[in-house]
């Protein structure tokens, strides 16, 4: 997923404010769901939703206004009711940040952890 | 409504990024509804909601990180189905910005313009 | 300038929160400077900067998550030390919002209003 | 540090969007520096700055619009050139989120890791 740093995402040190990296990861997750299943809504229609349980962000190099970034999403682990994704924020040749997020699948009605349909889980294993 | 400028609300020029003033006005509107009716939810329960139709913002003086601002809300005009509020952002002795917003009352079900209950309209006239 | 509505730009009513339209306009202004002069930095190097003096936003139709918008920037008025730009936010066939922003040209050193170099002003007239 | 959830910090699920917790932690860190040293600027004047190296966020319970939160900051570890702080976001009786952030002290000129002055380090040990 490509994205360009917006002016107002930079703080007075002239670098992307740290909280925005989580927003970038969120956007990359949405883009991944879209690529795999057509849309985020298509996942919800199957009766399951992804809830963020934990995120770890390592800041490796600052990004600046107008930088053209690429967020690479990969599956780190597929559990029974959980999913761990890794988002690597690339800024040209540099890795700017690594975000590892653990999600829990929950029922859209119950809001309780559930195992997702097999084909959905398989899509992340592939 | 008092508020303190947050670090990440400042851009690389070291001043509050312009879009945040609209967020401040929104917060002041919510605070006004709370002061007048107990909560924003209490207004919705009466079957009406406020939708923003137009905003004009005049930027008069920059605000910086940690500045302690006060947003003063006043009624500019009470129409049949509309309401115009003025939000003055004070930074100490200075007026930092003036925001004038025209809202339309809509039915919570119909999403169409409606006249609000008389007591609600009267609260803004007082 | 094309852009796609991000999940976290929508509020609990499921529509783009009003303050984000000003951020969209800011991004479109930056894109316009880039198209005309190569970059925002190239303008600063000429000794002038644009400061926002006033914005008016008319909200015409709500935008939702994943909507693909186009912001069309046009010159409304070129003054001696001021510039008025109009940003039309298109959502498919619909105009979602109109933003008219008055900027003042200031010296990068003096921070006082100045007339910009003729070629810069001419670029906006063309 | 007390804070109140702002309307636009909630996403369409009606809960605080995850990236905002990092902004809350950042605000709490700033508040801690202010409590210990008078201001963030007073730290910079001693020739050192804090740079975020890594953050881990555990999301334990959702927060909603208007919730009154308290962020409790505590020292987790004081290293030679590093500092680990824990931010506990309390929502009434509930712990909504735990954020653990590792900072590196850098010289304000060199931007390289340095040991901070002893009194600054001692303030975090106390």
């Amino acid at each position: 997923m490509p994205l360009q740093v917006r002016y107002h995402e930079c703080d007075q040190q002239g670098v992307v404010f740290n909280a925005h990296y989580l927003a970038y990861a969120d956007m990359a997750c949405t883009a991944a769901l879209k690529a795999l299943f057509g849309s985020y809504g298509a996942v919800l229609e199957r009766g399951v939703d992804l809830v963020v349980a934990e995120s770890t962000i390592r800041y490796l190099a600052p990004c600046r206004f107008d930088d053209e970034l690429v967020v690479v999403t990969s599956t780190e682990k597929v559990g029974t009711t959980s999913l761990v994704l890794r988002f690597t924020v690339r800024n040209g040749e540099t890795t700017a940040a690594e975000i590892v997020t653990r999600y829990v699948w929950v029922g859209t009605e119950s809001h309780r952890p559930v195992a997702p349909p097999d084909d959905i889980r398989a899509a992340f294993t592939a």
Side-chain angles (χ1 to χ4, degrees), chain A:
Chain A
M1 188 197 66
L3 65 88
Q4 194 158 20
V5 173
R6 298 175 172 183
Y7 180 74
H8 62 275
E9 292 173 340
C10 296
D11 62 22
Q12 21 189 108
Q13 297 181 329
V15 301
V16 171
F17 180 67
N18 59 68
H20 291 298
Y21 289 101
L22 278 188
Y24 295 168
D26 190 81
M27 289 157 58
C29 176
T30 303
L33 295 177
K34 205 170 177 175
L36 292 173
F37 309 110
S39 71
Y40 173 49
V43 176
L44 297 180
E45 279 163 24
R46 300 294 301 280
V48 290
D49 196 1
L50 280 176
V51 171
V52 181
E54 185 170 343
S55 283
T56 297
I57 308 163
R58 286 191 310 134
Y59 304 96
L60 301 168
C63 295
R64 293 171 198 285
F65 169 50
D66 235 20
D67 282 356
E68 298 189 5
L69 312 180
V70 175
V71 185
V72 179
T73 305
S74 58
T75 303
E76 191 79 2
K77 183 160 169 268
V78 176
T80 311
T81 61
S82 71
L83 173 68
V84 181
L85 297 181
R86 172 182 295 268
F87 306 97
T88 304
V89 182
R90 305 278 309 167
N91 188 358
E93 294 301 298
T94 308
T95 296
E98 289 270 5
I99 299 130
V100 176
T101 300
R102 183 167 58 82
Y103 298 89
V104 174
W105 291 102
V106 299
T108 50
E109 300 287 314
S110 69
H111 294 288
R112 314 274 323 164
V114 292
D118 284 348
D119 61 313
I120 288 187
R121 197 191 305 169
F124 285 101
T125 318

